[in-house]
Amino acid sequence: MGHWLQRNIIEPGKLPLLLALTAFVLTFLITRVVTRMIRAGRGPFGNVSAGGTHIHHVVPGVVLTVLGGFGAVASSRFGFGASAFAVVFGIGAGLVLDEFALILHLADVYWTEAGRQSVEVVVLTAALVGLVLGGFTPFGVNGMSQEELQDRAGVILTAAVNFFFALLVLSKGKARMAIFSVIVPLVGLIGFVRLARPGSPWAKRLYRRRPRARARAILRAYRHDRRWAGPRRRFQDLIGGRPDPATPVAAARR
């Protein structure tokens, strides 16, 4: 384990990234535990207010993210400073993305159905950073020799092709696969050859005069959602807590 850590994390300068990811995940989990205890009225914790205004934890999160981000930019990839600022950044990012839905809707939707978007964004972010930490670099140029890296035309072409596939997958209504395809090009290829989701720009334009393809897309989407909707909701409830009964976002803004 020590040899693997030294060779794959410390020597390539990935220790700050590992520390940031660890701090990010732990901060999110601890924050969710604390907020669920506050929601249940247990423990010594409570909401923070100043002058009658509820201070959401996204506020200190923004401060820590800015501090850690600028500190990391000013530091090298090696040394105590880089590691310390990486931890600060990870904590700040965890606090901010835990309330991503609040920022998106400009409303306190933390315990509503819309608040599940925060959990999805956090899981997606952790997965992407984990892929980068494991050796997958954007544009699929990892593992290339120095001579190949010097061939700028080849690198640019590879990046352009991967980005093109990501856009195609996104047009098929598969946002998660599009994001992952930037890191792992094979994901983009799989998303491209599969049917588009109903209602996506691809389906609206290309399935309009292809009723069989449109019907197959609707059936596949129905089966996929029926198969994964339950497990996904249980996973989100386990991590983020079960939301309150349906509350319109517009009502939460008031």
Side-chain angles (χ1 to χ4, degrees), residues 35-36 48 55-56 65 133 142-143 159 197-198 212:
T35 54
R36 291 169 77 168
V48 179
I55 306 298
H56 292 273
T65 301
L133 187 65
N142 51 298
R197 289 190 64 86
R212 293 185 61 182

Side-chain angles (χ1 to χ4, degrees), residues 131 136-142 158-159 161-163 165-166 169 177-192:
L131 285 173
F136 292 93
T137 58
F139 312 130
V141 296
N142 51 298
T158 301
V161 171
N162 288 353
F163 184 69
F165 270 106
V169 174
M177 293 191 72
I179 295 174
F180 276 106
S181 67
V182 178
I183 304 296
V184 186
L186 181 61
V187 175
L189 181 61
I190 295 174
F192 173 69

Side-chain angles (χ1 to χ4, degrees), residues 14 35 87 92 102 111 114 116 122 157 176 194 209 220:
K14 292 183 179 180
T35 54
V87 172
L102 180 149
W111 293 118
R116 290 177 178 272
V122 168
L157 179 61
R176 295 182 183 88
R194 293 174 65 87
R209 298 181 180 180
R220 173 168 291 188

Side-chain angles (χ1 to χ4, degrees), residues 91-153:
I91 294 174
L95 293 173
V96 170
L97 292 189
D98 183 57
E99 293 202 308
F100 170 81
L102 180 149
I103 301 172
L104 178 64
H105 297 286
L106 293 179
D108 191 359
V109 294
Y110 195 85
W111 293 118
T112 68
E113 189 69 24
R116 290 177 178 272
Q117 294 171 322
S118 297
V119 179
E120 293 181 355
V121 169
V122 168
V123 172
L124 183 62
T125 301
L128 288 174
V129 177
L131 285 173
V132 174
L133 187 65
F136 292 93
T137 58
F139 312 130
V141 296
N142 51 298
M144 300 176 68
S145 65
Q146 289 298 322
E147 292 77 10
E148 291 172 327
L149 288 175
Q150 291 173 0
D151 187 358
R152 293 177 179 266

